[in-house]
Amino acid sequence: GGAGNDIGTMIAGFDSTQWESYYKWTTAQSANQVYDVVVQLPLPSDFISWASTTPITVDVKTSDTTNGTVITKLTDTTATLETNWNTCSLTPANNSWNTMTGCTVSGTYNANGIITLRLILQAPPNAGSSETEIGNISLTYNSAY
């Protein structure tokens, strides 16, 4: 994501209204700051293929839809970067929790395999009161059973 020297605060919490855990990235710097959250997700043993409409979704919230962005990268079960997910934007259009649909998946995905989702959170500047948050990640797939 960033140059490796970005400055901010990462907080893990629970939103009882949304009923989900989240990560919140904020900064008090005068410029946007970036932090990567990397999640490895095992595919279930009954995985056969992705659902066609919304295979991967992520709950996202930001206080600034221009500078508070979430960009993602996805690698398939062969550790190959998905072409459509190389800078797939999940930035919501408003500052409420939004379930954002990822990009099209077309790589190799195998049951019991591991996929890696890299979420690049950009916190907008504003003396720490601006924030970018990520919550639930959902996988929708077709089962072999």
Side-chain angles (χ1 to χ4, degrees):
N5 57 355
D6 289 14
I7 299 169
T9 302
M10 176 59 76
I11 299 169
F14 182 78
D15 183 328
S16 60
T17 304
Q18 184 71 9
W19 201 250
E20 68 183 291
S21 299
Y22 63 87
Y23 289 104
K24 181 191 306 185
W25 174 239
T26 63
T27 187
Q29 299 299 303
S30 60
N32 297 329
Q33 302 292 301
V34 176
Y35 190 91
D36 293 7
V37 175
V38 179
V39 181
Q40 291 193 299
L41 303 162
L43 293 183
S45 60
D46 65 339
F47 178 93
I48 190 108
S49 64
W50 290 110
S52 60
T53 54
T54 56
I56 301 172
T57 61
V58 180
D59 290 350
V60 179
K61 182 179 177 184
T62 185
S63 61
D64 179 340
T65 58
T66 301
N67 295 302
T69 61
V70 177
I71 303 296
T72 60
K73 295 179 184 284
L74 175 69
T75 57
D76 65 15
T77 55
T78 65
T80 302
L81 180 64
E82 274 276 7
T83 303
N84 295 325
W85 280 78
N86 186 19
T87 68
C88 179
S89 176
L90 298 181
T91 304
N94 60 53
N95 61 2
S96 301
W97 279 109
N98 290 266
T99 299
M100 302 300 295
T101 302
C103 296
T104 305
V105 291
S106 60
T108 302
Y109 296 92
N110 299 309
N112 296 314
I114 303 290
I115 63 173
T116 303
L117 183 61
R118 179 178 170 197
L119 299 130
I120 304 162
L121 284 69
Q122 179 172 276
N126 191 0
S129 63
S130 293
E131 57 202 31
T132 302
E133 302 175 51
I134 54 171
N136 289 342
I137 299 169
S138 297
L139 308 178
T140 307
Y141 66 97
N142 298 311
S143 172
Y145 303 113

